[in-house]
Amino acid sequence: MLRADPGRRAPSRSTRETWFDHAVLALALVLLLTGYGSIVTGNDWWVTTLLVALMSGVTCAVLRGLGFRFVAPVAGVVELYALAWIFVPETLSAFLPTLDTVRGLNDLAYTARMIIVEEQAPVGAAKPIVLVVAASFGLIVIVADLLLQTRRAAALVGVLLVAVYATPALISGETPSVWLFVSVAALWLVLLRSRTATTAFVSRGSSPALVLGSGALVAAMLFPLVSPDVGAVATAWGKPPSTVFGRGINPMLELGQNLRRNSSVTALTYTTELRSAPYLKVATLRDFSGKTWRPATTPGLMDQNEGQVVLRSDIDVEPVRTTVSIRNLRSSMLPVPYPALPNVIGLEGAWRFNRVGLTLSSETADSRGQTYTVTSLDREPTAEQMRSIDSFIGSSVEPYLELPADMPEVIAETARKVTADADNNYDRAMALQAWFRSEGGFRYSETAPVADDYDGNGVGVIAKFLDVKAGYCVHFSSAMAVMARSLGIPARIAVGYAPGSPVGQRNGDTEYKVTSDDLHAWPELYFQGVGWVQFEPTTSIGSATAFFEPASDPTSDTGGAAPETTTGGTRGADRVDSGTPTSSSSSPAQTASRSALVIVPGLLLVCAVPGLVRWVRRQWRLSRGGGSVDPLWRELEDLSRDHGIAVSAADTPRGFAARLRRRPGIDVTALDALLRRVERERFARDADVDGNGLADLRAVARSIRAGAGKRERLRATLLPESIAGRAPVLRFEPGTEPAT
């Protein structure tokens, strides 16, 4: 509604307040973003998230400033396009998204889901996690913009802020900073005051608002102090499973989570009659989908008879006992040496002996406080006996040879290259083991896979691991098992504990201590007449598997009767070293630099597009002005709208000119000349227009710009309202619309 000056659209107080409300809400979201450091480590993700959210916010602001109606869908498309450029730029074709772009983003989202399900907060800032956090905050900004357009914006925004505030607390179980709560609550009160203030209320003074705000802030400060501790309800992510290896949880995926824990505790101690400290197996993984290893879902004939395998008569076998005492380990699976026999002594509770992998598990009991004695077989074949085993085994082991059809060719090619000089499965397995441990240039690192976004054990991860050559036991064991299968050697993964380190004597036997740092995975390969044989490809962990070679040096790492084991401290030393950026693979994954390269030009483009579109339209109209004055008049109307002058779709040329004439500083002579031309062209039968009106239009345009303030001129350049569509029909109060 126009009042004092019908020639100028009155400054919109609501528009200014809306911009203020957006600024307050943006500051609140930035503060809340800092609280997500409890679930994601590092700072790189924070920069990326902030830039993506900024892109969404600026897009919404530009579209709102132009008067577009469908802001959210357009802003969502812009955010999706920005995410594609940041995270999967290789899938774009001629700068445009493709189906591969959707698949790439979907794959990253799937990987993020796996990390969220299996990892303990805070997780590393891997690319999938950064994608999810950045995309979420970008959508939050779009939703917040929508909420600010509603009548009950303050209340709805409050609900949104509470949800954003509570999410990291519910995931990690850590109560956020009181001052974060207070700061965001104060900003919400400012927003509430802005949205609920009325003229009558303001006239009474600000005391009621101050009292209300002060009381709310005091309550905000006291609430976190008196409320119960926030516990993690998102148990799949923020609260780690109550067990190290729990029921229904894939041990292979859980292994990475437990290895990256900051603290080290003694899991168990044991004594053994074995000549060397054994690996203690907890679970056996057979099925490989191409994305991860999992326990067998349908045991085959070989699995059911694993504990009854017939050993070759010429192989030395001796039953030995190992006594295990659980210290700080809660698990539904018990660590045992392989191959264990069913007669386990000393267990409390109901435990099941699993034929597949010869392990122990329970549906009701757990490992806490258990001390038990396991009898296992100490098998001692020679290297020559291993070489003489026929490679043909039969259809019963086919599940242990299955590989996905889409496996990267580099895996099989590398396996063939590494084993090119071997003519039997034992030497092929030894060649793979030696290549991983020493000859291939691999190094142990628990951080590089997370930082460089190849953590996991699928075929894509293996291909990346073979290139980067940095990882931990999950990568080494999975790579060797898959490469062995590609060579026709049945293979699977064992998960449990490396041998640990000697700590003293107990009852005349050496006692070993196993800590949480000794959590481990290793491949087992099948040899007929011997059974499943463990190998150790992980560099710096344990010792390489080898059998007696009469012609070899028994002290070498690849020969000798029984390999020695290294202590669990080796892994800890490598863990510290792996955090040192000695190469590109060990440095944190950088999404912030890529985000800046994408978002900064994107922001410039979003801000420049309205002005560019307006410039193109102006040039097109001016080019047509030589033959018709009507485009010039349309240009004058749009120019007026851009500078805050009221234009109605119901205007006649004379009515609009009369209102425009009242604006101080207008070149009335040029305006009247342009008006005569447009009226003669529109209404005269024989329109004899003198000149094309370009000079008159330019004169009027100069006078409009000269009479506008700096803010109006800047808005007309960057956010020209006229590109949003035709002018609306405006109503004028009686007496403000001049007679025509």
Side-chain angles (χ1 to χ4, degrees):
M1 183 175 294
L2 304 177
R3 294 182 181 274
D5 183 0
R8 176 191 295 270
R9 186 173 56 198
S12 175
R13 181 173 180 269
S14 61
T15 299
R16 290 197 300 269
E17 289 177 343
T18 298
W19 281 95
F20 174 77
D21 293 346
H22 278 79
V24 171
L25 183 55
L27 180 57
L29 291 176
V30 170
L31 292 176
L32 289 173
L33 182 59
T34 63
Y36 283 70
S38 63
I39 59 176
V40 185
T41 60
N43 297 316
D44 187 82
W45 67 272
W46 196 89
V47 177
T48 298
T49 302
L50 192 62
L51 288 172
V52 171
L54 179 63
M55 186 72 176
S56 297
V58 170
T59 302
C60 291
V62 169
L63 294 176
R64 293 290 178 198
L66 295 174
F68 276 97
R69 297 178 58 187
F70 304 104
V71 172
V74 177
V77 170
V78 171
E79 180 189 347
L80 182 63
Y81 197 64
L83 294 174
W85 270 98
I86 294 172
F87 294 98
V88 287
E90 67 281 358
T91 64
L92 300 173
S93 177
F95 305 103
L96 297 176
T98 63
L99 287 177
D100 288 337
T101 303
V102 178
R103 296 190 189 100
L105 293 174
N106 182 68
D107 289 343
L108 287 176
Y110 175 83
T111 304
R113 184 180 70 84
M114 296 298 293
I115 294 174
I116 290 171
V117 169
E118 301 296 342
E119 292 286 351
Q120 174 190 2
V123 298
K127 186 185 293 185
I129 292 296
V130 180
L131 168 65
V132 170
V133 177
S136 299
F137 261 82
L139 289 176
I140 287 171
V141 169
I142 296 174
V143 171
D145 175 78
L146 281 174
L147 295 180
L148 285 177
Q149 313 309 313
T150 62
R151 295 183 60 185
R152 298 184 178 181
L156 295 175
V157 168
V159 174
L160 178 67
L161 294 178
V162 169
V164 177
Y165 170 81
T167 297
L170 296 176
I171 290 175
S172 66
E174 298 180 5
T175 303
S177 167
V178 173
W179 294 111
L180 176 61
F181 187 94
V182 171
S183 301
V184 175
L187 290 172
W188 179 76
L189 288 174
V190 172
L191 181 65
L192 179 65
R193 175 68 175 84
S194 172
R195 285 282 168 165
T196 58
T198 63
T199 303
F201 185 79
V202 172
S203 65
R204 299 189 188 104
S206 58
S207 297
L210 292 176
V211 172
L212 175 63
S214 300
L217 277 177
V218 171
M221 295 177 65
L222 294 178
F223 176 76
L225 300 177
V226 301
S227 64
D229 289 339
V230 178
V233 298
T235 54
W237 181 6
K239 185 179 180 181
S242 58
T243 58
V244 175
F245 296 106
R247 303 179 186 91
I249 299 177
N250 184 352
M252 191 65 159
L253 297 176
E254 193 178 358
L255 185 60
Q257 165 190 319
N258 286 284
L259 280 175
R260 285 188 288 275
R261 286 181 174 176
N262 295 325
S263 60
S264 176
V265 298
T266 299
L268 58 93
T269 59
Y270 69 91
T271 59
T272 183
E273 296 176 349
L274 287 161
R275 283 171 286 183
S276 60
Y279 285 65
L280 300 177
K281 184 160 69 168
V282 169
T284 305
L285 311 178
R286 182 198 73 182
D287 295 342
F288 183 58
S289 64
K291 292 186 177 180
T292 190
W293 292 83
R294 296 187 180 277
T297 54
T298 54
L301 179 62
M302 179 181 176
D303 299 322
Q304 296 171 355
N305 298 326
E306 181 173 341
Q308 305 168 10
V309 62
V310 178
L311 299 176
R312 285 176 44 161
S313 58
D314 58 343
I315 294 178
D316 293 335
V317 181
E318 180 183 0
V320 292
R321 292 181 299 177
T322 300
T323 300
V324 180
S325 296
I326 302 298
R327 302 300 184 195
N328 297 291
L329 170 65
R330 183 182 180 186
S331 173
S332 60
M333 309 174 191
L334 290 177
V336 294
Y338 184 86
L341 300 180
N343 52 329
V344 180
I345 301 173
L347 283 177
E348 297 180 0
W351 293 88
R352 181 180 69 251
F353 187 77
N354 304 303
R355 289 292 181 183
V356 182
L358 308 183
T359 56
L360 288 167
S361 63
S362 176
E363 293 295 331
T364 56
D366 65 54
S367 61
R368 290 176 295 176
Q370 299 279 0
T371 296
Y372 52 96
T373 299
V374 184
T375 300
S376 61
L377 299 180
D378 185 9
R379 301 164 296 169
E380 289 294 336
T382 66
E384 287 303 316
Q385 289 172 330
M386 295 292 291
R387 291 189 180 98
S388 66
I389 293 175
D390 191 346
S391 60
F392 177 77
I393 303 173
S395 59
S396 61
V397 296
E398 287 181 357
Y400 295 95
L401 293 171
E402 292 179 353
L403 290 171
D406 59 348
M407 186 176 75
E409 184 60 29
V410 66
I411 299 176
E413 288 180 357
T414 303
R416 290 191 295 268
K417 181 178 179 180
V418 171
T419 61
D421 296 332
D423 59 3
N424 60 82
N425 282 349
Y426 173 71
D427 285 338
R428 293 185 184 100
M430 295 294 288
L432 289 174
Q433 178 180 246
W435 184 67
F436 281 114
R437 288 187 64 84
S438 58
E439 299 172 4
F442 288 83
R443 66 183 181 85
Y444 186 92
S445 174
E446 292 168 12
T447 58
V450 176
D452 285 353
D453 192 30
Y454 62 94
D455 199 17
N457 52 93
V459 290
V461 170
I462 293 174
K464 182 69 176 291
F465 167 67
L466 295 179
D467 177 54
V468 177
K469 296 189 175 182
Y472 55 95
C473 58
V474 167
H475 306 90
F476 284 95
S477 59
S478 184
M480 181 169 174
V482 171
M483 293 170 76
R485 285 190 176 188
S486 72
L487 297 171
I489 307 174
R492 67 188 187 186
I493 299 290
V495 177
Y497 289 91
S501 56
V503 292
Q505 296 287 319
R506 187 173 68 181
N507 299 327
D509 295 324
T510 300
E511 183 176 23
Y512 295 86
K513 179 180 71 173
V514 176
T515 71
S516 54
D517 284 339
D518 294 310
L519 285 164
H520 196 44
W522 61 92
E524 293 181 331
L525 277 56
Y526 187 78
F527 295 86
Q528 190 176 27
V530 177
W532 292 98
V533 178
Q534 73 181 40
F535 286 84
E536 183 52 275
T538 305
T539 181
S540 79
I541 302 297
S543 291
T545 296
F547 296 100
F548 180 69
E549 293 272 14
S552 70
D553 180 2
T555 62
S556 68
D557 187 54
T558 58
E564 296 180 358
T565 60
T566 60
T567 65
T570 304
R571 186 197 301 270
D574 274 34
R575 176 182 295 174
V576 174
D577 181 68
S578 67
T580 304
T582 56
S583 69
S584 61
S585 63
S586 62
S587 59
Q590 297 295 324
T591 57
S593 56
R594 175 75 190 177
S595 302
L597 290 175
V598 171
I599 298 299
V600 172
L603 289 173
L604 294 176
L605 181 62
V606 169
C607 294
V609 162
L612 181 61
V613 171
R614 182 69 180 89
W615 181 85
V616 170
R617 179 187 291 178
R618 181 184 303 113
Q619 299 306 311
W620 177 76
R621 285 170 172 168
L622 294 179
S623 66
R624 294 183 59 208
S628 172
V629 75
D630 192 68
L632 302 182
W633 191 259
R634 295 298 182 194
E635 174 61 25
L636 177 61
E637 291 179 331
D638 284 355
L639 182 68
S640 301
R641 288 181 63 192
D642 297 340
H643 285 81
I645 300 172
V647 178
S648 173
D651 274 336
T652 63
R654 183 168 293 273
F656 170 65
R659 191 163 61 252
L660 183 59
R661 191 180 294 112
R662 297 183 180 183
R663 180 183 173 100
I666 286 293
D667 190 332
V668 177
T669 302
L671 176 62
D672 289 342
L674 193 62
L675 174 62
R676 287 193 297 272
R677 288 187 174 91
V678 74
E679 287 184 332
R680 289 173 61 184
E681 181 176 300
R682 289 185 179 182
F683 306 119
R685 292 186 177 181
D686 298 321
D688 182 14
V689 180
D690 185 12
N692 58 26
L694 283 174
D696 295 327
L697 174 64
R698 290 192 174 101
V700 177
R702 282 194 300 269
S703 65
I704 290 176
R705 295 191 186 98
K710 292 183 179 180
R711 182 179 298 179
E712 286 181 337
R713 289 196 297 269
L714 182 62
R715 178 182 175 84
T717 302
L718 299 179
L719 295 175
E721 183 181 335
S722 58
I723 72 167
R726 296 296 299 271
V729 176
L730 301 179
R731 288 188 176 185
F732 299 93
E733 287 189 353
T736 63
E737 175 64 15
T740 58

